[in-house]
Amino acid sequence: MQLDDRAVDAEMKALFKNYKTWCKFLGRKHSLRLPQGQQEIQQRKLLYMGLYLLIWGEAANVRFMPECLCYIFHNMAYELHGLLAGNVSIVTGENIKPSYGGDDEAFLRKVITPIYRVIDKEAKKSKNGTAPHSAWCNYDDLNEYFWSTDCFSLGWPMRDDGEFFKSTFNAAQGRKGAPKKSGTTGKSNFVETRTFWHIFHSFDRLWTFYLLGLQVMFIIAWQGISVMDIFQKDVLFDLSSIFITAAILRFLQSILDLILNFPGYHRWRFSDLLRNILKIIISLAWAIVLPLFYVNSFHSAPQSIKNLLSFAKEIKGIPPLYIIAVALYMLPNLLAAVLFLFPMLRRWIENSDWHIVRLLLWWSQPRVYVGRGMHESQFALLKYTIFWLLLLASKFVVSYYVQIKPLIEPTKEIMNIRRIHYAWHEVFPNARHNYGAVVALWAPVILVYFMDTQIWYAVFSTLYGGVVGAFDRLGELVNVEFFAYTDTNSGHAKITVSVTAWEMDLLLVPYSSDPSLKIIQWPLFLLASKACIPVALDMAAQLRAKDADLRKRICADEYLKCAVIECYESLKMVLNTLVVGETEKRIIAIIIDEVESNIKTNTLLTNFRMGFLPSLCKTFVELVEILKEADPSKRDTVVLLLQDMLEVVTRDIMVNEISELQELILTSKDTGSQHFAGTDTKPAIVFPPLVTAKWEEQINRLYLLLTVNESAIEIPTNLEARRRIAFFTNSLFMDMPRAPRVRKMLSFSVLTPYYSEETVYSKNDLEVENEDGVSIIYYLQKIYPDEWNNFMERLGCKKDSEIWEKEENILQLRHWASLRGQTLCRTVRGMMYYRRALKLQAFLDMANEKEILEGYKAITVPSEEDKRSQRSLYASLEAVADMKFTYVATCQNYGNQKRSGDRRATDILNLMVNNPSLRVAYIDEVEERDGGKVQKVYYSVLIKAVDNLDQEIYRIKLPGPAKLGEGKPENQNHAIIFTRGEALQAIDMNQDNYLEEALKMRNLLEEFSEDHGVRRPTILGVREHIFTGSVSSLAWFMSNQETSFVTIGQRVLARPLKVRFHYGHPDVFDRIFHITRGGMSKASRGINLSEDIFAGFNSTLRRGNVTHHEYIQVGKGRDVGLNQISLFEAKVACGNGEQVLSRDIYRLGHRFDFFRMLSCYFTTVGFYISSMVVVMTVYAFLYGKLYLSLSGLESEIVKFSKRRGETALRTALASQSVVQIGLLMTVPMIMEIGLERGFRTALSDFIIMQLQLASVFFTFSLGTKMHYFGRTLLHGGAKYRATGRGFVVRHEKFAENYRMYSRSHFTKGMELAVLLICYRLYGTAAPDSASYTMLTVSMWFMVCSFLFAPFLFNPSGFEWQKIVDDWDDWSKWINSHGGMGVPATKSWESWWDEEQDHLRHTGLIGRILEIILALRFFVYQYGIVYHLNVARGEKSIMVYGLSWLVIVAVMVILKIVSLGRKKFSADFQLMFRLLKFFLFIGAVVTLVLMFTLLGLTVGDIFVSLLAFMPTGWALVQIGQACRPVVKKIGMWSSVRALARGYEYLMGVVILAPVAILAWFPFVSEFQTRLLFNQAFSRGLQIQRILAGGKKHK
């Protein structure tokens, strides 16, 4: 069979685009050589495509290295061409044979396995992610080896002594048989060196721009000139100093280029080394020349510089040499600016092969395979340029007038103050200008200056996203009452939501159409909302006008008209079906003819008395009700009702007698027979009638049409059902591509990675109770009361206990609960809706008129004949659905679970049985014997369910264990070979889907063919609905935050910023594009912890295009408890910390144009950097205040300002520079809620969120982000953190909270609290409580959030008995000794050791930085001791030196007690007690002497705690950083004992206020209401749950 050449060419172009680009990049001719004969060309193309896919299918982990696959294919395709062309080898004179062939598994063993061994060897060097990234080669490093022509030195067949295989030399030998020493392949092009300098290194243009902007504003403000005067000659000359700053920063960047990549020096090419050295030399030259020329222009310049530059003469006061130097320096930047305006030209240049172009590019940026030609169209560039110009203009205006300018005069005043009387021993007493005070004043302002762009971005993106959303018609239909049925060719599909059967009848459109009606049969809830039939009856009965008026009034409302016609036609249908007697049928026909003839002649109101219609309608309703029941015993009642109806019509309603009708009626009376009664041999009616699905539906609909009178606002009552209907209806008005027929649509697959999460809840899972007596099923009954009632109704159970009596009911209960959790069962159910939707749509495409009229239900329940027939419509629909959709759940542990008898394996099998088209992929570990040696062999296996058993479809051997890097991407990679089609949707295990959304998948896939700019889309972004938002206030906050990100956030990222990446699921990938470019994620250990976003980075760098579409959505679950949320945010923060070090971020930061780079920064790692800077601002502000107050500078400045009357100076000292970012997080949420649900709802939600302390939660989250992001950047240690997806929000013990938040929040909160207390004691700028409160309120808010949020958001966090139990548990934990095998949850010592893991694996620089950071705690002691009364105003350094005697004395006492406990406590208890007694007496005597002789006061003792406690903590921190040294000198046990004391004290200080509040019962009630308010509005009353649970227990 000949395939269409266009289809073959299109697939070949897509499949080999990356390969051809690779060949062009390396300057090699590709191996896709076609024969001369036209007939053989297609066959050859298919062979090449088949070869590549075979290579890719068996490549295992090598699939993460796309250019390595290109190398393999390049050589094998060349051999294939030689074989087919019959080429002869020059060496042997024989026909060419394949280099690897003949043996079983030759390709796997000889090609893939050696490369796999290199990957495995390097992965082991990572030491499970703890080794520095520079010490081993990740997937990117190994792949980038093939970006150089050096890769061809491997030859074909590949030389096992090649450079690429260095790391496996000990497992192989060279060609001469001599064993070679193992080495390393080496880092390629980039080294992920762990340092904060990467923030500057990757985004140097951003930081240079900000520093230059700050310099310009500072110069203008310092000189006191107007902004409009900057174009004056002198001002311009002063401002031109920014070029010197730029030159210095350029020199810094070139130094970083060399230093940060130095660990990869042995892979440097000469050209790269030459470029780096030349850049350093030239940038250093500019950094020297520009300042020299600039200084020479001043009259006061040093004579030596003037003599050096004497050849340069000034012309009219302008130094020409400096101007020329600046012009030359700016020349490359001007060229870049020109190219920026013409992105098409820049794309051509970056992809050009011209040598002159390559030379220029070689100088500007290293030549790498990715990141070339990523520039967007002129129009897209214009849009995001305007966005950033407006944003930056706003930022700089506010920064200048609010931050910079107000501080200039105070700074000048401070610098002019002389004769400072310091309150401590000043180290630099003769220093002028008070630079310390200036730094303390400016440091927080500068930090805010660098951070506030993030705030401006939040504001601008919210505004722009709101406008774009409005134009996209989001939220046009806010509620269900706006719903209007729209014919979308989606067929008569029901939206499966949690509604009652009665509500479903009201919502449904009839399955089977009646062509005789000739009207639209609207959903009944729309007709009922207008009370159509009662209104029509009232109109007819009361109207005395003409027929035309009645017709006009009825036809004025489309719903009313359709209801009346449908009711009339249904009446005729019922009578025609029910009545079979000849006389009766004739009577009915005469009456109907009379009615219809009067309607035509407009005489209906004249010839019929409409006042009796309600009576007729009432009788008819009774008849229809009996027909619904179909009870044969009520036959006589039916006869009577029909007779009553006939009597009402003939006697009461009809004005004129009809002779024929009267004759028939009289004839019956004469014969003595009753109408409709009939005889046994000749019945007049058929009752009960033949019941079919169509008849049941018509009767039920007619009954509801006549009887229901409900408002559309109340149907359906379930909020989730209303939300889904509203979104689906609204999406139909949005712009989406036209859907093709199912046969012509793109085929797609869905891939879900699964490890060992919950599949289906077991009976025990549902019944087991937590400590509060609450089980999962009890919890679900209360949180979903309406859905539980519907479930009970479906089962026919009146009481809960009846469910447990039948196994079938228990199974349904397990599924009911599982479909409300975050389980694999829910995900599979949701994704299989795609198949149902495709079958429905294919039915509408393929069915004939008869089948359409019968309805889709007739197909969903096929006969046995239809199932067997290959030509039936049922078989065709199944075939089309299978052809267009594939679902693979990659359950990697299924084989092990099955062998071990794990319940999850049975549940997975049941899922396959219930969903026959579901496929499960897993990794099978098998022990096989090879030459007398048993070894473990790994396979990728695909299975399906057949006859309630799993049946193997494919089994593909792997070169070794599949997991070498991060687990999830490796799991996806092993199963991706089992997917099919042009598109691939990534779906996570905690997601859901909806049938109505699945109907739009055809439209979404058409986006791949739509115009989205310069490049066609490679990833289609899809919005998510967070379905876990109703559990608690925390879940609601997270739901709103996540919803705003996946809607308004990603909307702006895609349009206009063009920097949307892949943030997880449910994005749809161009499958061919990504399988030829490394897959749908990256898997290197540690660096790719946030594996999803790297797929977006990779797609963008390889000239892909990521779009975002909001007319379709997928459900997603999120974490609901504070600890779960914190673990998730810690994982994301750690992932962003690793991203800062990554080559992807570096290349995006350098290859994007300036404004797109800004977008990339502030929407990825920049957000976390800004979060860290917010907290650093607080630290800078408070430590600056501490320095000013303790040194005495602040009091001197205040005195000076009072003498001079300088209010600006006092204002500057008493101002704060802290941004409350907690409120900022809610801005995008409010805009999105306002768009989709109305701004009144948005305002209401905002107020409720603030009352529920949303700002506390977001401030607390800020601490989580800052801590883990900073620690990862400094020390590493990023790892996957399992959050758990449990149902019941349980009370977390204090010990658990302490372990989780001690370092991230509690220590920081305590430190900030001590700083604030110190400033209250010694600060003079805010002397009274009111001014102090105004100055520090936001910082106290942060302190309280850090310390007490875990209690506020912990269920039963203020319940007295819980506090008592928590204290006992915590005391037991902190006093427990650690040891081998003792977990951190059981012992403080084990936890303390684990908490220092990051210090064990950090480098020397990390330890030094940790020590430097700890030095800040010594400031307290140094400053406070001089303020003690015992110091008597002495300023000598001896005071500080003597204060250390206290520290030493305490340490000695603790050490003596510790040694005494070890040596004497067991055998010499009396001696040990005497020792403690003498120490106590000595301490008391010392204190008495100090009170009497040295003037020590009680206040001094308390203040001394503020001085010495931070010093002790600093010693602990330094001891931890120097752990190896401290252990050697035998002081480690002392450090641990001191640390335990601090931990104990911190626990008491934190828990004490909570315990005091717990004394008052109303606090606990208030907290419960606060935490679960959102759930209260949904019917969840947590107090009843707890109380009821305990009673039940």
Side-chain angles (χ1 to χ4, degrees), residues 451-463:
M451 179 275 300
D452 64 359
T453 309
Q454 194 73 52
I455 299 172
W456 286 107
Y457 174 79
V459 173
F460 271 75
S461 64
T462 300
L463 294 174

Side-chain angles (χ1 to χ4, degrees), residues 59-103:
N61 300 69
V62 183
R63 282 191 285 271
F64 286 115
M65 300 161 55
E67 281 65 60
C68 179
L69 293 184
C70 287
Y71 177 80
I72 296 170
F73 174 79
H74 180 75
N75 289 285
M76 295 188 74
Y78 180 77
E79 287 189 345
L80 175 63
H81 171 73
L83 286 169
L84 295 174
N87 292 352
V88 176
S89 172
I90 300 174
V91 180
T92 63
E94 299 177 354
N95 288 340
I96 289 180
K97 295 181 180 179
S99 300
Y100 300 103
D103 304 333

Side-chain angles (χ1 to χ4, degrees), residues 393-411:
S394 304
K395 178 251 186 314
F396 281 113
V397 167
V398 172
S399 293
Y400 178 75
Y401 286 105
V402 176
Q403 296 172 353
I404 308 297
K405 192 175 181 181
L407 285 186
I408 294 298
E409 286 304 317
T411 302

Side-chain angles (χ1 to χ4, degrees), residues 160 238 253 264 302 315 336 441 533 688 690 722 751 974 1091 1126 1385 1421 1432 1498 1573:
D160 54 14
D238 290 338
Q253 174 69 2
I315 303 173
L441 185 65
I533 298 306
L690 180 63
R722 295 171 66 81
L751 187 65
H974 102 89
E1091 72 286 332
S1126 296
T1385 56
Q1421 180 185 342
R1432 298 180 179 179
V1498 176
N1573 187 64

Side-chain angles (χ1 to χ4, degrees), residues 474-499:
L474 270 172
E476 284 199 357
L477 303 181
V478 178
N479 294 311
V480 180
E481 58 262 32
F482 293 114
F483 174 79
Y485 185 82
T486 304
D487 184 11
T488 60
N489 283 333
S490 58
H492 309 286
K494 72 175 182 180
I495 297 176
T496 309
V497 287
S498 184
V499 295

Side-chain angles (χ1 to χ4, degrees), residues 130 132 194 1274-1276 1397-1407:
T130 59
R194 190 168 300 284
L1274 195 58
H1275 303 296
D1397 277 347
H1398 63 284
L1399 292 175
R1400 285 200 192 97
H1401 305 298
T1402 191
L1404 178 62
I1405 295 176
R1407 292 181 186 276

Side-chain angles (χ1 to χ4, degrees), residues 185 240 471 645 1012 1380 1446 1525:
T185 307
S240 67
F471 277 102
M645 290 172 64
H1012 288 283
M1380 189 69 69
V1446 179
V1525 177

Side-chain angles (χ1 to χ4, degrees), residues 121-188:
K121 187 78 173 181
E122 293 292 343
K124 287 175 180 174
K125 291 180 184 177
S126 74
K127 298 177 183 176
N128 204 25
T130 59
H133 294 304
S134 57
W136 59 286
C137 295
N138 56 39
Y139 280 112
D140 285 333
D141 290 310
L142 297 175
N143 182 56
E144 288 178 20
Y145 175 82
F146 296 91
W147 290 4
S148 165
T149 52
D150 295 344
C151 68
F152 292 104
S153 65
L154 285 177
W156 192 264
M158 292 185 293
R159 297 165 48 234
D160 54 14
D161 60 346
E163 184 183 12
F164 182 80
F165 297 107
K166 273 185 181 179
S167 58
T168 56
F169 277 169
N170 58 349
Q173 293 184 346
R175 289 209 176 274
K176 296 181 180 178
K180 292 196 174 186
K181 186 178 178 182
S182 171
T184 181
T185 307
K187 305 290 284 185
S188 298

